[in-house]
Amino acid sequence: MAGCKGGHMICMYWWVLIIVIMLCSLIVGSQCAAFNDLFYPNWAADHVMSHGDLLQLKLDHTSGAGFASKSTYIFGKVNVQMKLVPGDSAGTVTAFYMSSQGDQHDEFDYEFLGNTSGEPYVVQTNVYSNGVGNREQRIYLWFDPTANFHSYSFLWNRHQAVFFVDDVPIRVFWNNEKVGVPYPETQPMGVYSSIWNADDWATQGGRIKTDWNHAPFISTYTNFNIDACKYNPGSSCTSWWDQPTYASLNAKQSMQLKWVHDKYMIYDYCTDSVRFPTPPPECALLT
């Protein structure tokens, strides 16, 4: 760079490159990566389409599609920007989730339930710990998730697992092992996404079926970020998410979470007395 030999345009190129690298470091923390650096197609590779910085998953009458991370992680933050299936997406589900393996697996789920044109998308979240799920919550989003890209994230540490949409917390699963609720903290999890046909339940309880005349159904992704401890047996790591400030939501985040739940939540397993005449123990702590 000394003297920036080679002309003004080369100087400008190098300065732009340096600025981009610095921004990646500031925004992402540990990884500012392309799809192929972090993930691989794990279902129907011919339905996983790459277009420059964009990745698309396609669902048609022959197959859905999916991808998985090349590594597994234990604690950290995972983020992706998504643009969901536009138009009549009834019967389809696009999922973004973290999961370990086996019958006693841990899992954090976003499931975006397709809709008929003009109706809001439903986002269903779920948490599995030691193979036990049935912790569904459903919300509407406060924007059209098909019009532009929006960020969907998991922040996971020893104290809490937080689901974020555009940095707004929509769900928290706290570590309540003290009351006998298993908490995901020992099993490394991979990062996954997929799209598939689920018209037996996804839209209005299965009353609205997938209209294959509108296929293919396409979800689009960009800006894959993983700032997390890559699992290595016998070793451990700590980072910013272990700091006390991330052991709970701050005051602003707590207000945001209440706003989401008050205005946009349409189902919460904690208040479903038909399914759970006795509230699950983690729910009883909220009353």
Side-chain angles (χ1 to χ4, degrees):
M1 285 288 291
C4 212
K5 296 178 181 179
H8 176 72
M9 292 303 296
I10 294 178
C11 284
M12 290 296 296
Y13 168 80
W14 281 110
W15 278 115
V16 170
L17 181 61
I18 289 170
I19 291 170
V20 169
I21 292 171
M22 291 173 64
L23 286 174
C24 279
S25 299
L26 288 171
I27 294 170
V28 179
S30 71
Q31 296 191 39
C32 185
F35 172 80
N36 290 332
D37 294 329
L38 298 174
F39 300 96
Y40 68 96
N42 71 332
W43 176 26
D46 62 331
H47 283 49
V48 180
M49 304 168 292
S50 180
H51 304 281
D53 293 335
L54 303 181
L55 183 94
Q56 294 183 323
L57 294 184
K58 179 175 72 172
L59 167 67
D60 60 23
H61 69 283
T62 65
S63 180
F67 62 80
S69 60
K70 295 178 179 179
S71 301
T72 56
Y73 305 88
I74 188 156
F75 305 131
K77 188 171 185 180
V78 174
N79 177 78
V80 70
Q81 291 187 331
M82 299 173 58
K83 186 187 296 184
L84 299 178
V85 177
D88 184 356
S89 58
T92 71
V93 172
T94 300
F96 172 53
Y97 61 105
M98 298 183 69
S99 181
S100 60
Q101 301 299 313
D103 293 339
Q104 302 298 311
H105 76 291
D106 298 331
E107 187 171 333
F108 305 133
D109 284 336
Y110 285 99
E111 291 182 321
F112 303 93
L113 311 184
N115 63 347
T116 56
S117 297
E119 294 185 353
Y121 252 89
V122 173
V123 181
Q124 175 171 284
T125 60
N126 203 352
V127 175
Y128 285 75
S129 53
N130 285 1
V132 177
N134 295 324
R135 297 184 174 100
E136 297 90 350
Q137 292 182 348
R138 291 185 176 188
I139 67 166
Y140 290 133
L141 292 171
W142 51 96
F143 53 82
D144 179 358
T146 72
N148 295 292
F149 286 99
H150 292 270
S151 295
Y152 304 92
S153 309
F154 301 107
L155 171 63
W156 174 35
N157 58 33
R158 291 174 177 82
H159 305 283
Q160 60 177 355
V162 188
F163 296 62
F164 289 96
V165 175
D166 288 340
D167 293 325
V168 174
I170 66 165
R171 179 172 191 166
V172 182
F173 187 74
W174 287 278
N175 185 337
N176 283 312
E177 289 180 316
K178 61 185 179 183
V179 295
V181 180
Y183 182 76
E185 61 179 343
T186 61
Q187 300 185 54
M189 291 198 265
V191 183
Y192 304 87
S193 190
S194 57
I195 185 171
W196 76 95
N197 178 43
D199 65 4
D200 57 331
W201 66 272
T203 306
Q204 297 183 27
R207 291 187 293 274
I208 308 297
K209 303 301 182 182
T210 302
D211 185 346
W212 294 106
N213 292 317
H214 296 153
F217 304 99
I218 294 175
S219 291
T220 307
Y221 304 74
T222 191
N223 292 340
F224 300 91
N225 299 330
I226 298 179
D227 188 1
C229 281
K230 187 180 295 187
Y231 180 65
N232 185 12
S235 66
S236 62
C237 77
T238 59
S239 191
W240 58 267
W241 51 81
D242 295 304
Q243 297 174 12
T245 188
Y246 297 103
S248 61
L249 301 183
N250 60 37
K252 178 182 177 181
Q253 290 170 332
S254 296
M255 292 179 61
Q256 290 174 324
L257 180 67
K258 184 178 186 303
W259 173 76
V260 171
H261 287 191
D262 287 348
K263 293 198 66 174
Y264 298 104
M265 181 172 280
I266 57 175
Y267 176 80
D268 183 2
Y269 76 106
C270 281
T271 61
D272 191 337
S273 59
V274 175
R275 288 178 67 196
F276 303 104
T278 300
E282 69 269 21
C283 299
L285 294 174
L286 303 176
T287 60

